[in-house]
């Protein structure tokens, strides 16, 4: 049993969804977490979850797609409150040094979503590119916050700083890249009880996999690469990673 802790099957590149999810189930993928990214996509993860029980929906605003009008925070809040029992997390929120609006705007939206997660007792799904140190400092201000740093690609020191705060690290196709020595070393420095698998499909196509777009169908490929990297038996590692993901998003291991 594997869980893709971060994939965007609501993106048009991965349509149609029904046969895709059927293929995932045939590969031993029992659930996929679908984060919200924008005002336009806000309802899509929830709609997919209503149609497919293996979809675990989240709601949030990605730093690349932040609304220009701060009134959109009210839309997100209302949706999250109304669907509290259906959503597994708030996000994808975060900070990005290279893309999106200015740093102050990104931080404002991040902080609003962190507070929403606290208010609703939900974990957060966080995007962090080139802003790990700043993100750590912000998270320290939110007592009780929990979540995952998706597609982590920083240093071992940065990885352990997030783990110290109780966060999980999402491991995706970047570990298959020939030049990703720093990321692989960072992941190896973290106890496996703080890791979870992801594809970030349709982005982050693993090295050695053909195709124009990534797919949650590539999760077993990433799992095998991680198993070899950590030198942990595939079945044993799957049990650990699945339990981690269930613990964060379900509050328990569902078996």
């Amino acid at each position: 049993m594997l869980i893709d802790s971060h994939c965007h099957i609501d993106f048009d590149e991965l349509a149609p969804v029904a046969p895709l999810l059927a293929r995932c189930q045939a590969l031993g993928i029992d659930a996929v977490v679908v984060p919200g990214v924008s005002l336009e996509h806000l309802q899509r993860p929830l709609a997919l979850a209503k149609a497919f029980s293996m979809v675990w929906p989240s709601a949030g605003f990605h730093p690349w797609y932040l609304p220009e009008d701060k009134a959109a925070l009210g839309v997100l809040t209302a949706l999250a409150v109304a669907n509290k029992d259906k959503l597994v997390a708030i996000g994808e929120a975060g900070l990005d040094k290279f893309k999106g609006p200015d740093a102050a705007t990104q931080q404002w939206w991040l902080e609003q979503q962190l507070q929403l997660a606290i208010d609703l007792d939900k974990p957060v799904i966080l995007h962090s590119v080139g802003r790990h140190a700043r993100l750590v400092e912000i998270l320290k201000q939110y007592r009780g916050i929990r979540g995952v740093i998706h597609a982590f690609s920083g240093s071992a020191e940065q990885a352990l700083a997030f783990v110290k705060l109780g966060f999980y690290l999402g491991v995706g196709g970047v570990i298959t890249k020939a030049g990703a020595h720093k990321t692989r070393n960072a992941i190896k420095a973290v106890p496996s009880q703080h890791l979870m698998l992801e594809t970030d499909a349709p982005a982050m196509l693993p090295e050695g996999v053909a195709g124009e777009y990534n797919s949650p169908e590539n999760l077993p490929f990433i799992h095998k690469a991680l198993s070899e990297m950590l030198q942990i038996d595939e079945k044993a590692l799957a049990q650990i990673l699945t339990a981690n993901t269930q613990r964060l998003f379900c509050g328990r291991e569902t078996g």
Side-chain angles (χ1 to χ4, degrees):
M1 176 180 175
L2 298 175
I3 299 174
D4 189 341
S5 68
H6 195 110
C7 65
H8 300 283
I9 62 169
D10 57 324
F11 283 24
D12 294 341
E13 293 92 332
L14 294 178
V17 171
L20 170 63
L21 292 178
R23 294 193 301 271
C24 286
Q25 285 185 306
L27 292 168
I29 302 165
D30 283 6
V32 294
V33 179
V34 182
V37 296
S38 68
L39 190 59
E40 292 74 21
H41 278 239
L42 201 55
Q43 295 278 0
R44 290 191 184 187
L46 281 163
L48 286 171
K50 185 176 181 180
F52 305 100
S53 60
M54 69 181 290
V55 172
W56 296 1
S58 182
F61 295 142
H62 188 293
W64 294 1
Y65 309 115
L66 295 175
E68 294 184 5
D69 188 349
K70 290 184 177 180
L73 176 62
V75 178
L76 171 61
T77 301
L79 178 137
V81 170
N83 294 279
K84 180 181 177 182
D85 293 339
K86 301 181 181 70
L87 294 172
V88 298
I90 298 299
E92 178 177 355
L95 303 174
D96 195 303
K97 181 179 180 179
F98 306 106
K99 191 171 180 180
D102 62 90
T105 298
Q106 289 189 26
Q107 182 168 328
W108 186 88
W109 279 103
L110 168 63
E111 291 175 341
Q112 307 314 305
Q113 292 177 87
L114 292 176
Q115 188 59 55
L116 180 59
I118 290 287
D119 293 343
L120 297 182
D121 191 24
K122 295 290 182 182
V124 288
I125 299 171
L126 297 179
H127 172 107
S128 179
V129 175
R131 294 286 187 228
H132 295 320
R134 181 61 187 142
L135 182 57
V136 166
E137 292 307 309
I138 292 171
L139 292 176
K140 287 178 180 178
Q141 301 172 32
Y142 290 83
R143 185 180 299 274
I145 198 72
R146 63 192 191 280
V148 55
I149 310 300
H150 112 85
F152 180 79
S153 60
S155 67
E157 181 182 8
Q158 292 165 336
L160 291 171
F162 286 121
V163 166
K164 187 177 180 180
L165 292 174
F167 273 71
Y168 294 86
L169 303 182
V171 181
V174 67
I175 66 167
T176 68
K177 306 293 185 182
H181 306 295
K182 182 179 76 171
T183 298
R184 284 193 290 270
N185 288 335
I187 296 301
K188 286 191 282 188
V190 172
S192 58
Q193 286 74 19
H194 286 275
L195 303 176
M196 54 182 64
L197 285 176
E198 65 164 81
T199 61
D200 198 23
M204 286 181 59
L205 185 69
E207 194 165 291
V209 174
E212 185 178 359
Y213 299 112
N214 194 10
S215 167
E217 296 166 89
N218 293 324
L219 197 68
F221 182 87
I222 297 168
H223 176 248
K224 180 177 175 59
L226 182 60
S227 171
E228 293 173 352
M229 190 179 87
L230 298 180
Q231 297 184 326
I232 300 176
D233 172 75
E234 283 189 54
K235 184 176 180 180
L237 182 61
Q239 292 174 335
I240 294 169
L241 300 175
T242 295
N244 295 346
T245 312
Q246 291 173 332
R247 194 177 305 114
L248 179 65
F249 293 120
C250 305
R252 66 190 188 285
E253 297 172 28
T254 59

